[in-house]
Amino acid sequence: VCMVPVVSNPNVAFGGVMLERLCTAFAEHGKHTLVVDASERASEPFEMAAIDLSACIEKLSPQVSYLAARGLPLRHVNAAGSTASFLQAAMQAAPNCDVLLVHASASDLCRLFMRNADTHSVRPLLLADDRPASVTHAFAAMKLLTQRAGLVVHDLLLGAAAHSPRSERIAMQLATCADDFLGAVL
């Protein structure tokens, strides 16, 4: 299963559309995606989540399933502060998924993917648009993921108009800040 951590960014307009397009891209490659939405704006999980996680997964299309998971990872925290066992539980609940897209805050993603040998190839995906608040949030998330979880390689999905004069500059500034201040790569 390919794990794709996507940092939720409440300052991004049309963030849901960006997630939908990601799922469409995976589907075009024949992959079944389970979207685990543990973001701040996600719905509360069903009561059954504590007993049977698979019963809480909604099938949105033949290639996309959805799990409302706000607060669920913290129910799987261990003594080291890791919630990685939630990822295992989610994969067991959806054995047919090829992609596990985890949409959560940077702090939740740190607990899910913190310095774990199983997640050494994970590259968090930062969401931003061409407004300053979303870019600031993306940089702060990158800093948190780098320093707390040891995740130093990130990708960026920047939502902007096709001919936005700021999009290239924003991407370059984030990449430069990652390299100069965090020892990370964007």
Side-chain angles (χ1 to χ4, degrees):
V1 175
C2 176
M3 288 188 250
V4 180
V6 179
V7 182
S8 64
N9 188 337
N11 301 302
V12 170
F14 307 108
V17 173
M18 294 168 84
L19 290 176
E20 182 182 336
R21 297 236 171 116
L22 275 173
C23 292
T24 300
F26 292 133
E28 287 176 359
H29 290 306
K31 305 296 182 190
H32 185 271
T33 303
L34 172 61
V35 176
V36 176
D37 194 356
S39 68
E40 305 87 342
R41 294 183 179 171
S43 301
E44 289 285 331
F46 294 115
E47 291 178 16
M48 284 293 295
I51 301 167
D52 184 7
L53 205 54
S54 63
C56 302
I57 296 174
E58 301 175 57
K59 191 167 184 127
L60 301 180
S61 75
Q63 295 294 84
V64 179
S65 299
Y66 177 84
L67 175 63
R70 184 166 40 129
L72 275 183
L74 281 177
R75 295 182 189 175
H76 293 81
V77 70
N78 67 15
S82 173
T83 55
S85 63
F86 173 72
L87 296 172
Q88 296 301 320
M91 287 188 289
Q92 289 173 356
N96 296 330
C97 85
D98 302 303
V99 178
L100 185 65
L101 190 152
V102 183
H103 183 232
S105 69
S107 57
D108 280 342
L109 290 175
C110 285
R111 284 187 288 272
L112 284 164
F113 295 98
M114 63 190 311
R115 304 183 197 281
N116 184 339
D118 295 337
T119 60
H120 70 280
S121 62
V122 168
R123 293 168 51 156
L125 178 61
L126 305 169
L127 298 180
D129 59 28
D130 59 357
R131 294 175 303 151
S134 79
V135 176
T136 300
H137 190 278
F139 178 74
M142 183 171 32
K143 182 177 180 180
L144 201 63
L145 289 162
T146 300
Q147 293 179 346
R148 280 194 193 169
L151 299 170
V152 296
V153 180
H154 310 297
D155 288 316
L156 173 67
L157 182 57
L158 185 64
H163 301 292
S164 171
R166 295 178 286 199
S167 59
E168 188 174 331
R169 188 177 72 222
I170 290 168
M172 288 303 298
Q173 285 176 333
L174 278 171
T176 301
C177 287
D179 186 39
D180 290 351
F181 300 111
L182 304 175
V185 177
L186 179 71

